[in-house]
Amino acid sequence: MAEGGFVKISRMLKNWEHYGDAEMLKLFIHLLLSAAYKGYWDRDIYVGRGQLLTSIRGLAQELGFTHRHTRTLISTLKATQEIAQETTHRGTLITIVKWEVYQGGSGDADTQSDTETDTKTDTRSTKKRHTHYIKKDIK
């Protein structure tokens, strides 16, 4: 799991059937933030984009939930097909089913976000960039 970077959270999440359940929302956002943004091998298990290798007990500790409650929340996300779960000899492999839809891309190396593109092509200092936009807005 990478500690830096960003994930996209669609405003459509406000229409999600579990949006009103604070603990479910906390778990789902935690899974989005913890999932791999690119595939990697963890010893002998491949963890792909939108997946994380964890344990229910570990998730419970990270979120401050009981083990039983975490299991119940995970079961609900599985039942509504938000996630898939696979037990391995190293822990639980959780897949966010619509990861590519949520993150808006195929994961190809050529795919860049607007921010990445802007940063690479706009070499002006931050002060000049802001001044440009302010002057533009005033006219």
Side-chain angles (χ1 to χ4, degrees), residues 1-2 30-41 45-54 83-86 88 92-100 103:
M1 173 180 83
H30 182 79
L31 294 176
L32 284 172
L33 292 170
S34 302
Y37 65 92
K38 63 181 180 179
Y40 67 93
W41 284 94
I45 296 179
Y46 184 75
V47 179
R49 284 176 50 85
Q51 294 184 316
L52 65 147
L53 187 59
T54 187
I83 65 169
Q85 179 184 15
E86 179 183 341
T88 72
T92 301
L93 184 65
I94 294 177
T95 302
I96 299 171
V97 174
K98 296 179 183 175
W99 174 261
E100 295 298 337
Q103 297 310 302

Side-chain angles (χ1 to χ4, degrees), residues 64-77:
F65 298 160
T66 65
H67 182 263
R68 173 180 277 173
H69 187 57
T70 304
R71 232 182 25 234
T72 302
L73 293 172
I74 291 288
S75 293
T76 302
L77 289 176

Side-chain angles (χ1 to χ4, degrees), residues 6 18 25 28 53 98 108 115 130:
F6 302 90
H18 302 294
L25 187 61
F28 190 67
L53 187 59
K98 296 179 183 175
D108 296 338
T115 304
H130 289 256

